[in-house]
Every structure is written in C-alpha cells, then in structure tokens.
Amino acid sequence: MKIYFSDKVLECKSEMKSIIDILKYVEKLASKSNYVISHLEIDGEEVYDDFHLYFSNNLEDIKNVKVITKNPRELARDLIVCISETTEELLPDIEVLANDFRRDVQKSSWENFINIFKSIKWILDAFATLDSDIELMFIVNDYEKWNYFAKDIYNLREIMVELQNILLSEDYVYIPEILTDEIVPLLNDMKDKLDSLVDSGVDLKKLN
C-alpha cells in the first residue's frame, strides 16, 4: 500500500498498526504547517470519517491512499458550504414527510423523520462549532447577516423542542403544519443567508 502526502510517497504494510502509525506521523507533519487532515482519497474514493473502520473492512484491497489536508480557515469555509448543501437536500425530504403525515404514516415515515431530525441536529451542532471558531471572521463577508443566521438557528432549535413535545404528547396531527409552515421556510431563509455569506470559489490559501 502507498500513502501519498504532499510530495511524499510512504510505503505501508496492509496492517492496521502500520496504517495507524503512518497516519499519526502524517498528522504530526501536517500540524507543523498548521494543517489538519480533511479526508482521505482511498483508491479514488473520498472518505471523510471512520477511517479505521474503512481500512479494516477493505484492508486487503486498498492500494493507494492520498491524504488531503486543509488549514483551519478552509475547514471552516467547507463546513459552511456543507451546512448549506445539507439544508438544500433536506427541503424536498421534509415536504415528502409532511405529505406522509397528512395521509397514512408508515414505518418508513418514522425512519425518515429520525433521519431528518438527525440532519437538523447536525446543522445545529455545526453552527455551534463555527460560531466559536476564530476563523469565522476571515471567511464571513457580512457579520451582521451571520448574526441574523444565528437567530434563525435559535428559532430552529425552538421548533425542534416543540416537535419533541408533540411527539411526547402524540399530537401527530400538528407535525405536517410545523414541517411545511415553520421548518421549510426557515431552512430556505437560512440557506439564502449562507449562500450570500461565503464565496465557495475563493481560494482561502491566498488569504493567510
């Protein structure tokens, strides 16, 4: 197995211990230049998390691993873009779920509800990470608009608490209304704000 990092090509045995040792070595080298591992390209496939699990499941087949590193500012910008993309992907799913609850709720409807709930929780957690990141001031072009976005986040959090209370009380008839009349407009507004806050085409390496 070959591991590519910067201008280095590291030979590695197809053993978990060897892989872990080399990745720790690469991580240490990257940190000296104020970079962190963003993700891996393993035989052409991008892997962003659970590296150990991916390696253990595909140990015998892996030939080439490319280590992709980014600086903290790039990671923060990527997180904002990811929040926007996740928000956009959620919108049609929420509309479908609302229609399911208006008609006949199936087991799959509850599974979709859980997945949407998890995605929204990820958005809330990602915002908390960004809002405390010192790099935010360098990548957001309108801090006042970011504060308006933060207000949307707090509103979304309150709506999710309301949804939880509805689930506890089993007043499921209110779920479609909350999904389409409260969450969908709010997510649309959040996405519009995010897309105007960051230029995803800017090369942040030139801003350091």
Side-chain angles (χ1 to χ4, degrees), residues 89-99 116 120 179-180 183-184 187:
E89 292 167 0
L90 272 177
L91 290 168
D93 294 340
I94 293 174
E95 295 282 7
V96 169
L97 182 64
N99 288 331
I116 288 171
I120 291 178
L179 291 174
T180 56
I183 293 181
V184 167
L187 289 180

Side-chain angles (χ1 to χ4, degrees), residues 15-86:
E15 301 172 354
M16 286 303 300
K17 185 181 183 307
S18 298
I19 295 170
I20 291 171
D21 288 344
I22 286 187
L23 288 180
K24 285 181 178 178
Y25 168 71
V26 167
E27 189 173 25
K28 188 178 293 185
L29 288 180
S31 66
K32 289 181 179 179
S33 302
N34 197 30
Y35 277 74
V36 294
I37 295 177
S38 166
H39 61 282
L40 305 178
E41 287 183 9
I42 303 177
D43 290 333
E45 182 176 351
E46 294 185 344
V47 179
Y48 283 85
D49 50 26
D50 290 335
F51 298 153
H52 292 185
L53 179 62
Y54 189 95
F55 278 115
S56 62
N57 288 342
N58 302 277
L59 199 56
E60 299 300 325
D61 301 322
I62 296 174
K63 304 298 181 187
N64 298 296
V65 178
K66 185 177 181 182
V67 181
I68 308 300
T69 59
K70 294 185 177 182
N71 62 40
R73 195 170 299 177
E74 290 174 298
L75 288 176
R77 193 276 307 276
D78 286 354
L79 186 54
I80 291 179
V81 173
C82 190
I83 293 174
S84 176
E85 291 173 347
T86 300

Side-chain angles (χ1 to χ4, degrees), residues 17 30 53 110 119 149 167 183:
K17 185 181 183 307
L53 179 62
W110 287 112
S119 294
F149 174 75
L167 291 175
I183 293 181

Side-chain angles (χ1 to χ4, degrees), residues 139-180:
I139 57 176
V140 167
N141 55 37
D142 187 336
Y143 220 84
E144 183 178 2
K145 187 173 289 186
W146 174 262
N147 289 332
Y148 284 124
F149 174 75
K151 185 177 179 181
D152 288 342
I153 286 287
Y154 298 141
N155 289 338
L156 180 60
R157 184 176 288 118
E158 290 178 358
I159 293 172
M160 298 310 292
V161 171
E162 182 183 358
L163 263 181
Q164 287 178 306
N165 292 333
I166 286 174
L167 291 175
L168 291 173
S169 62
E170 299 185 357
D171 292 328
Y172 304 142
V173 67
Y174 297 107
I175 290 179
E177 180 181 347
I178 292 175
L179 291 174
T180 56

Side-chain angles (χ1 to χ4, degrees), residues 86 90 113-124:
T86 300
L90 272 177
F113 185 95
I114 292 171
N115 289 333
I116 288 171
F117 202 94
K118 287 180 178 177
S119 294
I120 291 178
K121 184 181 183 304
W122 178 87
I123 291 173
L124 297 175

